[in-house]
Amino acid sequence: MRIVRAGIVEYEAALAEQRRVHDEVAEGTTPDTVLLLEHPSVYTAGKRTEPADRPFDGTPVIDVDRGGKITWHGPGQLVGYPIMRLADPVDVVAYVRRMEQMLIDVCAELGLVTTRVEGRSGVWVPADERGPDRKVAAIGIRVARGVTLHGFALNADCDLSRYDIFVPCGIRDAGVTSLSAELGRDVTVEEVLPIVERHLTQLY
């Protein structure tokens, strides 16, 4: 697996790079590759996004070909785009579960207990005295020619107010959080990066 730390990349540029690498992985000319990066602030909508989920204030949204609904990407959030060939027969749900477990293990290493929520993808902090279930990592993927696209977004120390103007992932009865908010200390993308890199082999 080839890991690329790409830094801060505009969403459209990262999408074009994903598609370029995807073609090469699908053709067998490049090994499985994971792009790890941050985006400048951007809202993206997956194929299941409902009109009522979109920003209430007219903020622009980029429509993309991944699964899932609408989400935000921006500084302080580690985004991972694994572009890898899945074993035959392709089992997309099993791949998503492996990705969730990888992120659960990353959070645990940082000191945060997280879990899955039945019927909802991503990684969650269970409801407690501080509030309802809160998503700390979002997942939205696509598989084409047996090779994955898109991936995960783990909130490290991002501006959570960015989630206030839309319905994150179309879910109205839960919240969004970050590692910093839950752990009560500043957890940066730089701190999270090497931990995620060590766990990426769990995606196989």
Side-chain angles (χ1 to χ4, degrees):
M1 178 185 287
R2 181 173 66 112
I3 299 172
V4 178
R5 290 193 186 189
I8 298 174
V9 184
E10 291 282 351
Y11 187 83
E12 289 97 333
L15 188 57
E17 178 65 4
Q18 276 194 79
R19 288 171 174 156
R20 185 190 70 78
V21 175
H22 178 273
D23 283 345
E24 293 181 353
V25 172
E27 290 162 7
T29 59
T30 292
D32 292 345
T33 299
V34 183
L35 307 177
L36 295 174
L37 50 88
E38 290 176 82
H39 289 305
S41 184
V42 63
Y43 293 90
T44 71
K47 291 180 288 189
R48 295 191 303 112
T49 301
E50 303 289 340
D53 300 334
R54 292 175 179 265
F56 317 132
D57 64 354
T59 297
V61 175
I62 298 174
D63 289 283
V64 292
D65 58 0
R66 61 167 168 77
K69 295 193 174 187
I70 188 168
T71 194
W72 171 82
H73 297 305
Q77 180 191 75
L78 176 61
V79 177
Y81 294 131
I83 304 165
M84 50 189 286
R85 180 170 295 284
L86 298 181
D88 286 324
V90 171
D91 188 334
V92 177
V93 173
Y95 171 66
V96 171
R97 295 294 167 265
R98 292 195 300 273
M99 185 175 287
E100 287 170 343
Q101 189 59 53
M102 176 200 76
L103 293 164
I104 287 169
D105 292 347
V106 167
C107 289
E109 191 166 323
L110 287 158
L112 180 63
V113 176
T114 56
T115 188
R116 296 181 177 89
V117 171
E118 185 69 30
R120 292 176 172 175
S121 69
V123 174
W124 298 79
V125 177
D128 56 19
E129 70 281 353
R130 297 174 59 189
D133 292 336
R134 304 179 292 284
K135 184 183 281 192
V136 70
I139 292 174
I141 68 155
R142 179 170 181 250
V143 178
R145 298 163 68 190
V147 177
T148 63
L149 284 154
H150 304 288
F152 63 87
L154 176 60
N155 290 345
D157 57 350
C158 53
D159 177 5
L160 293 175
S161 72
R162 296 288 189 164
Y163 291 96
D164 293 343
I165 66 164
F166 73 109
V167 182
C169 303
I171 297 171
R172 289 169 166 76
D173 60 347
V176 178
T177 191
S178 67
L179 292 164
S180 296
E182 295 299 328
L183 293 171
R185 66 178 181 85
D186 193 25
V187 181
T188 65
V189 167
E190 288 70 27
E191 180 180 351
V192 174
L193 256 173
I195 300 172
V196 168
E197 287 177 341
R198 283 204 310 277
H199 286 275
L200 284 172
T201 54
Q202 291 177 242
L203 294 177
Y204 286 110

